[in-house]
Amino acid sequence: MKTVSQELLTLLQTQHDGCSLYALADILGVTTQNIYRISNGQGQFSTDTILIACDCLGVDPRPWLIQAELDRCKSPKRRQILQRILADLDTAAGRAIAGVVLVFLVGDFGGF
């Protein structure tokens, strides 16, 4: 299973036409050593780097930040809370997307 950091690396590489890990380090402002450790599953991005990566990708950083914290978390109670927050966030995002689709459909076909 890939970590959040590895998933973000993959998405960034895809977005930048399969660029090298060296180029990704430059884009994210981190060391190449950090990038290579992450690609090998031996490290994780900091919160700041996750925010930068999400900004580069144009995605909401909240689920990535929560999932990264889940990856690091050892406390069962804290994991339960984070999982609930992540589920609530997924549900809210799903409702928001459904709302946009509904507005689009009603806007286009509301006159019929």
Side-chain angles (χ1 to χ4, degrees), residues 17-28:
D17 300 320
C19 70
S20 68
L21 294 177
Y22 178 83
L24 286 179
D26 189 48
I27 290 166
L28 295 172

Side-chain angles (χ1 to χ4, degrees), residues 57-71:
L57 292 166
V59 298
D60 182 357
R62 293 175 297 174
W64 296 95
L65 292 167
I66 293 169
Q67 187 60 55
E69 190 59 31
L70 271 167
D71 290 349

Side-chain angles (χ1 to χ4, degrees), residues 47-97:
T47 299
D48 288 344
T49 305
I50 292 172
L51 289 170
I52 293 166
C54 288
D55 187 55
C56 288
L57 292 166
V59 298
D60 182 357
R62 293 175 297 174
W64 296 95
L65 292 167
I66 293 169
Q67 187 60 55
E69 190 59 31
L70 271 167
D71 290 349
R72 292 187 279 262
C73 185
K74 303 286 189 242
S75 164
K77 181 65 175 171
R78 190 167 180 214
R79 286 187 64 77
Q80 182 182 25
I81 292 167
L82 289 167
Q83 287 168 339
R84 187 176 58 240
I85 292 169
L86 189 58
D88 288 348
L89 188 59
D90 286 343
T91 302
R95 281 193 299 255
I97 290 168

